[in-house]
């Protein structure tokens, strides 16, 4: 699920609530506008903030979905990463 799908889903946090939850977890999010930029694809979240989004949404947004072209290189410890790396070589 991407950020837009999450924010549009029933029971999802609002942009403000998502920012506050990420901040409470120790992830730096400058403003609601930053999350809206991620939502529209104007900017992409950093690798660190991909993890923060996953944690803040209890896994509903997955970092693999935010980084579909390179997640296995960034997080090789994740399930499926090793198989993905082998296929891409």
């Amino acid at each position: 699920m991407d950020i837009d799908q999450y924010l549009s889903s029933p029971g999802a946090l609002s942009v403000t609530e998502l920012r506050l939850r990420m901040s409470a977890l120790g992830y730096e999010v400058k403003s609601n506008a930053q999350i809206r930029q991620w939502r529209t694809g104007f900017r992409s979240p950093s690798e660190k903030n991909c993890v923060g989004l996953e944690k803040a949404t209890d896994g509903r947004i997955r970092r693999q979905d935010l980084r579909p072209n390179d997640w296995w290189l960034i997080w090789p410890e994740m399930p499926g990463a090793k198989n993905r790396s082998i296929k891409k070589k």
Side-chain angles (χ1 to χ4, degrees), residues 2-66:
D2 66 25
I3 299 168
D4 184 51
Q5 291 167 330
Y6 171 77
L7 291 169
S8 300
S9 66
L13 299 172
S14 68
V15 170
T16 299
E17 291 168 331
L18 182 56
R19 178 181 53 80
L20 292 173
R21 184 170 293 176
M22 288 182 69
S23 293
L25 291 169
Y27 295 90
E28 185 178 336
V29 181
K30 297 176 182 117
S31 65
N32 288 354
Q34 185 176 15
I35 292 177
R36 286 192 293 273
Q37 289 173 349
W38 298 340
R39 180 181 194 174
T40 63
F42 183 74
R43 289 208 165 107
S44 297
S46 67
E47 296 167 7
K48 183 176 180 180
N49 280 328
C50 287
V51 175
L53 285 161
E54 186 175 67
K55 289 181 178 182
T57 62
D58 297 322
R60 289 182 63 194
I61 296 175
R62 298 179 334 138
R63 58 185 117 163
Q64 300 97 309
D65 297 330
L66 298 173

